[in-house]
């Protein structure tokens, strides 16, 4: 199931068009390395039902025992969804997984699938039952409202996305080091320009990046000695996942704190 949406960007230097990072089964982070199993215990695999089987399409973060945060573009079509918690290798049952059906999908009301550059690429999934929290399944820490991280703040993207643009697949969760690119840099005309809004976070821009299949997953940033989910993976350049000066773009979680709390209480 290939779903790539393109946005026409009419700005200086013909900036690349954004491309969503939702994709077909088993596709991985570009660059980076295989993560230690269950070292990102809030990472989930969002899967859809097709022909009697479930297939990975996006990532997400467990933010309450019965709530998952993901990207709006992952769930703006009507499907039967499930969330897999505690997974590492999508092709192997390691005995740590928890499988949860999704009872409700809440997409940000301002999300417009025809205009990714307007932002609001965030959604919440209510699970049909509560996860059992343990050493393999834990809740993500979310940032305080409005917090913006400085340039080069250390972060990692995690996900089951492509390992290269159009490249080979790997079933294991990967991680890649993507330091924050601050707003003033990311909006320069030779970077993303006006495509990026202040409700977004840019990270990376070099060899490593997110890619198809990573959408909705977390940008895990180191703040005061702990990892905090500051971003929801949203889009990359249509020129290629790891195009120079086109860092991976994330929905900035701290810009949506009040919306999140209004939904989950």
């Amino acid at each position: 199931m290939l779903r790539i949406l393109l946005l026409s960007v009419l700005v200086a230097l013909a900036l690349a068009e954004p491309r969503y990072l939702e994709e077909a089964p088993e596709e991985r982070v570009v660059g980076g390395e295989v993560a230690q199993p269950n070292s990102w215990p809030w990472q989930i695999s969002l899967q859809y039902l097709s022909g009697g089987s479930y297939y990975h399409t996006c990532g997400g973060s467990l933010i309450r025992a019965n709530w998952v945060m993901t990207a709006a573009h992952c769930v703006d079509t009507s499907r039967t969804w499930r969330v897999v918690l505690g997974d590492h290798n999508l092709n192997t049952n390691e005995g740590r997984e928890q499988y949860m059906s999704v009872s409700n999908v809440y997409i940000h009301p301002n999300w417009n699938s025809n205009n990714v550059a307007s932002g609001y690429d965030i959604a919440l999934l209510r699970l049909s039952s509560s996860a059992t929290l343990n050493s393999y399944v834990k809740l993500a820490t979310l940032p305080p409202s409005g917090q913006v991280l400085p340039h080069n703040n250390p972060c990692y993207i995690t996900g089951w996305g492509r390992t290269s643009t159009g490249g080979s697949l790997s079933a294991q969760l990967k991680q890649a080091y993507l330091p924050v690119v601050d707003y003033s840099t990311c909006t320069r005309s030779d970077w993303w320009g006006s495509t990026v809004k202040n409700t977004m976070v840019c990270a990376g821009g070099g060899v490593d990046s997110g890619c198809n299949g990573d959408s909705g997953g977390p940008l895990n940033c180191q703040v005061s000695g702990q990892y905090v989910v500051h971003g929801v993976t949203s889009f990359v350049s249509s020129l290629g996942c790891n195009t120079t000066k086109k860092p991976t773009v994330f929905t900035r979680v701290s810009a949506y704190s009040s919306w999140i709390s209004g939904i989950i209480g």
Side-chain angles (χ1 to χ4, degrees), residues 4-15:
I4 295 176
L5 301 181
L6 298 179
L7 167 71
S8 295
V9 183
L10 303 175
V11 292
L13 302 180
L15 290 185

Side-chain angles (χ1 to χ4, degrees), residues 26-235:
E26 305 165 23
E27 301 181 337
R28 320 272 167 264
V29 166
V30 174
E33 62 208 0
V34 173
Q36 284 291 112
N38 307 107
S39 56
W40 306 101
W42 47 86
Q43 170 85 45
I44 66 94
S45 168
L46 177 65
Q47 304 181 354
Y48 64 94
L49 182 64
S50 178
S53 298
Y54 280 93
Y55 298 95
H56 171 83
T57 187
C58 282
S61 302
L62 186 69
I63 61 171
R64 294 286 187 275
N66 63 331
W67 285 96
V68 161
M69 177 175 66
T70 188
H73 78 260
C74 290
V75 290
D76 63 3
T77 53
S78 182
R79 286 204 172 89
T80 299
W81 305 103
R82 79 172 181 186
V83 164
V84 185
L85 313 166
D87 210 349
H88 176 67
N89 188 323
L90 293 176
N91 296 342
T92 305
N93 190 322
E94 293 136 324
R96 302 164 182 170
E97 299 89 346
Q98 298 178 40
Y99 299 89
M100 303 283 183
S101 58
V102 173
S103 59
N104 291 94
V105 175
Y106 299 85
I107 295 172
H108 195 285
N110 294 338
W111 165 246
N112 177 358
S113 60
N114 296 314
N115 186 11
V116 61
S118 67
Y120 308 105
D121 192 8
I122 188 169
L124 297 169
L125 312 178
R126 188 202 293 267
L127 305 182
S128 55
S129 56
S130 292
T132 300
L133 302 181
N134 54 35
S135 56
Y136 310 114
V137 176
K138 296 181 180 178
L139 302 182
T141 300
L142 300 187
S145 180
Q147 185 176 57
V148 175
L149 296 178
H151 191 66
N152 280 333
N153 192 100
C155 301
Y156 284 87
I157 186 176
T158 50
W160 288 279
R162 284 184 186 268
T163 50
S164 61
T165 303
S168 59
L169 311 178
S170 155
Q172 300 173 95
L173 183 69
K174 291 193 73 181
Q175 63 186 43
Y177 179 66
L178 296 190
V180 168
V181 177
D182 66 15
Y183 179 72
S184 62
T185 303
C186 201
T187 54
R188 281 168 35 184
S189 60
D190 57 334
W191 286 61
W192 271 111
S194 60
T195 302
V196 165
K197 307 300 185 286
N198 62 9
T199 55
M200 302 174 185
V201 180
C202 300
V207 173
D208 295 341
S209 74
C211 202
N212 305 74
D214 291 328
S215 270
L219 180 67
N220 308 288
C221 297
Q222 214 164 6
V223 182
S224 302
Q226 68 172 337
Y227 281 102
V228 179
V229 176
H230 267 266
V232 175
T233 308
S234 185
F235 63 86

Side-chain angles (χ1 to χ4, degrees), residues 222-265:
Q222 214 164 6
V223 182
S224 302
Q226 68 172 337
Y227 281 102
V228 179
V229 176
H230 267 266
V232 175
T233 308
S234 185
F235 63 86
V236 288
S237 170
S238 60
L239 297 178
C241 292
N242 55 339
T243 304
T244 303
K245 294 188 178 180
K246 298 293 182 291
T248 308
V249 181
F250 302 81
T251 302
R252 178 166 64 82
V253 174
S254 66
Y256 296 93
S257 302
S258 60
W259 179 75
I260 293 169
S261 60
I263 298 289
I264 68 176

